[in-house]
């Protein structure tokens, strides 16, 4: 009998070690990890620079609380807002916490209450973030949600126009809905959101928990769109495997988050911000991002060549890709695991590919061979 609550649909593969894109179970079997801990281990498992940073910081200071100045916080904040529209950062422990902070800041700054979100979105499982999430399966069983979240269809201009009124504080969205099916925002819809936010003095919150820090081929995914966010939230890949979340905001928002308005005990601790600073220094370099885009193009090319386009389509950007299938994908993911490839789904009919940003082209070839095996019945060599 397990002493854990069974709130996860666990896959019974006890992973005990990892290096780069390879993880190993308790029986010594190796797997290609194309989940990255759900877009978290962006530099692969046990990246030497992250290990070095964590070891060095662990011998100095783990925790001191936000009652004191933490110089590493200032360094990470500066790195995150450099050459962006943002001026300030708040650090926490997760994506849900970052989104809670964004919701609070938007309401407090505007004095308004309604936040528009989108169907198939995912913003977290705390009550505010869950209320913002546009998936009924996430909300079921928890009673009344927080009020004044207005959820409308994604990429639907008419519904957006109909949802706007004088009480709208913010629009909150993902550039690519990872959990909801790897659904990307249309450029025209992104421009319409930018226009309406400017015209109606509405804040734009972009949830980059899954897409941020190089996952889509730019440091932030919104950079590839007409979106002009006032607030961006980050987590997952920001820490490369160490828990951290962040909210970035423009200078105009600064007075609304004064002392005592919001806080966290563990957020922005020296261990977390030191590791995250190392991640950002590596990932947000033009040469590294170019490699991500090259690998993305290679992976898309290989998948397109391997899978007939009348039954399968490829979605997404960078190394956040989805294979849309005509049938449910859960059995295929289980078969891939048996063949030595770890995958994760996005909704019922989409296989999500989230390899480390450091994945090699040889590892991509191996993964595509397994995917061909499980989807088409061809023999894989891995």
């Amino acid at each position: 009998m397990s002493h854990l609550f069974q709130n996860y649909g666990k896959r019974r593969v006890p992973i005990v070690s990892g290096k780069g894109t390879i993880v190993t179970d308790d029986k010594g079997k190796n797997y290609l990890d194309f989940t990255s801990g759900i877009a978290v281990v962006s530099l692969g498992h046990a990246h030497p620079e992250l290990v070095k940073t964590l070891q060095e910081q662990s011998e100095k200071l783990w925790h001191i609380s936000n009652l004191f100045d933490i110089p590493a916080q200032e360094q990470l904040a500066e790195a995150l807002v450099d050459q962006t529209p943002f001026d300030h950062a708040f650090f926490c422990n997760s994506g849900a916490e970052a989104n809670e902070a964004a919701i609070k800041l938007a309401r407090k700054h505007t004095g308004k209450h309604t936040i528009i979100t989108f169907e198939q979105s995912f913003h977290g499982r705390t009550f505010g973030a869950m209320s913002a999430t546009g998936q009924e399966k996430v909300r079921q069983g928890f009673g009344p949600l927080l009020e004044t979240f207005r959820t409308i269809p994604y990429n639907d201009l008419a519904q957006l126009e109909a949802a706007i009124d004088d009480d709208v504080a913010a629009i909150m969205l993902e550039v690519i809905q990872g959990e909801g099916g790897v659904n990307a925002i249309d450029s025209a819809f992104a421009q319409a959101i930018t226009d309406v936010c400017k015209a109606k003095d509405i804040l734009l919150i972009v949830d980059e928990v899954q897409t941020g820090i190089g996952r889509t081929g730019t440091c932030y995914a919104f950079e590839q769109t007409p979106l002009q966010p006032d607030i961006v939230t980050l987590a997952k890949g920001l820490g490369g495997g160490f828990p951290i979340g962040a909210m970035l905001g423009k200078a105009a928002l600064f007075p609304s988050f004064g002392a005592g308005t919001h806080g966290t005990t563990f957020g922005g601790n020296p261990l977390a911000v030191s590791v995250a600073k190392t991640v950002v220094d590596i990932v947000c370099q033009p040469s590294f991002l170019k490699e991500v885009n090259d690998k993305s193009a290679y992976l898309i090319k290989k998948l397109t060549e391997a899978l007939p386009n009348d039954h399968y389509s490829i979605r997404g950007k960078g190394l956040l890709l989805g294979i849309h299938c005509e049938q449910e994908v859960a059995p295929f993911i289980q078969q891939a695991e048996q063949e030595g490839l770890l995958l994760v789904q996005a909704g019922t009919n989409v296989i999500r590919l989230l390899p480390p940003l450091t994945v090699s082209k040889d590892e991509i070839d191996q993964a595509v061979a397994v995917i061909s095996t499980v989807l088409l019945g061809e023999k894989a060599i891995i």
Side-chain angles (χ1 to χ4, degrees):
M1 174 183 172
S2 173
H3 293 288
L4 297 172
F5 281 111
Q6 297 300 297
N7 53 304
Y8 298 105
K10 285 185 180 289
R11 293 148 65 171
R12 301 300 174 183
V13 179
I15 302 299
V16 297
S17 65
K19 188 71 174 176
T21 313
I22 306 298
V23 294
T24 306
D25 68 17
D26 59 347
K27 295 182 174 59
K29 180 178 178 179
N30 291 334
Y31 303 82
L32 274 173
D33 182 9
F34 268 50
T35 73
S36 298
I38 313 183
V40 168
V41 190
S42 50
L43 294 177
H45 297 273
H47 188 282
E49 289 298 314
L50 300 190
V51 171
K52 178 183 177 184
T53 297
L54 188 58
Q55 288 177 336
E56 290 179 350
Q57 184 60 46
S58 71
E59 295 173 354
K60 297 176 183 177
L61 185 67
W62 290 27
H63 180 79
I64 192 61
S65 108
N66 287 297
L67 296 174
F68 300 90
D69 284 335
I70 301 174
Q73 286 186 356
E74 293 286 355
Q75 294 165 15
L76 177 57
E78 183 179 2
L80 289 172
V81 304
D82 184 42
Q83 297 182 349
T84 75
F86 311 112
D87 300 277
H88 304 289
F90 164 80
F91 295 116
C92 50
N93 306 288
S94 69
E97 287 186 30
N99 285 333
E100 291 283 350
I103 291 164
K104 288 180 68 174
L105 177 55
R107 286 185 170 185
K108 190 170 190 301
H109 182 76
T110 63
K112 298 184 285 188
H113 305 108
T114 299
I115 296 179
I116 295 173
T117 64
F118 297 93
E119 293 176 3
Q120 298 307 119
S121 63
F122 182 84
H123 299 292
R125 295 181 184 273
T126 51
F127 252 90
M130 181 174 63
S131 299
T133 293
Q135 298 187 57
E136 186 58 31
K137 67 180 182 180
V138 175
R139 301 170 166 184
Q140 286 178 348
F142 296 103
L145 300 177
L146 297 187
E147 297 179 354
T148 63
F149 284 91
R150 189 172 297 160
T151 303
I152 64 174
Y154 197 48
N155 287 323
D156 189 322
L157 182 55
Q159 291 284 341
L160 174 67
E161 292 174 346
I164 301 297
D165 61 28
D166 292 338
D167 192 52
V168 175
I171 297 172
M172 185 174 189
L173 59 84
E174 300 156 277
V175 177
I176 300 175
Q177 296 178 328
E179 298 288 332
V182 192
N183 308 310
I185 195 167
D186 291 341
S187 181
F189 191 64
Q191 185 62 60
I193 286 174
T194 294
D195 292 344
V196 76
C197 285
K198 287 183 177 180
K200 300 293 185 179
D201 197 23
I202 294 169
L203 297 179
L204 176 58
I205 303 169
V206 176
D207 177 342
E208 295 240 23
V209 168
Q210 187 160 160
T211 58
I213 315 300
R215 176 55 59 180
T216 66
T218 48
C219 194
Y220 304 108
F222 79 83
E223 295 174 303
Q224 301 175 49
T225 75
L227 296 170
Q228 297 179 19
D230 300 281
I231 299 170
V232 159
T233 56
L234 303 166
K236 288 189 179 286
L238 175 59
F242 200 98
I244 185 171
M247 178 189 70
L248 311 181
K250 291 183 175 179
L253 303 172
F254 183 79
S256 298
F257 242 33
T261 55
H262 192 55
T264 164
T265 297
F266 296 106
N269 66 76
L271 287 171
V273 293
S274 296
V275 173
K277 177 63 162 54
T278 301
V279 171
V280 172
D281 286 347
I282 294 171
V283 171
C284 293
Q285 294 296 321
S287 58
F288 187 95
L289 294 170
K290 182 181 183 302
E291 288 183 10
V292 173
N293 285 301
D294 289 346
K295 292 169 188 175
S296 173
Y298 185 79
L299 177 52
I300 292 170
K301 177 177 179 290
K302 289 294 183 179
L303 289 170
T304 303
E305 291 172 350
L307 302 175
N309 59 19
D310 55 338
H311 294 288
Y312 306 98
S313 60
I314 312 303
R315 303 175 172 182
K317 292 182 179 179
L319 292 174
L320 168 50
L321 299 177
I323 305 171
H324 185 268
C325 306
E326 293 180 336
Q327 59 273 79
E328 294 187 6
V329 300
F332 298 126
I333 290 174
Q334 185 176 6
Q335 292 171 40
E337 183 181 294
Q338 294 168 0
E339 295 283 343
L341 174 65
L342 302 183
L343 301 168
V344 64
Q345 63 190 86
T348 304
N349 296 89
V350 178
I351 297 172
R352 195 171 9 158
L353 306 179
L354 296 164
L357 305 182
T358 52
V359 66
S360 70
K361 289 184 177 179
D362 179 61
E363 289 167 337
I364 288 172
D365 289 341
Q366 295 177 57
V368 172
V370 173
I371 291 167
S372 296
T373 295
V374 300
L375 293 181
L376 306 178
E378 299 172 356
K379 183 59 180 173
I381 300 174
I382 184 171

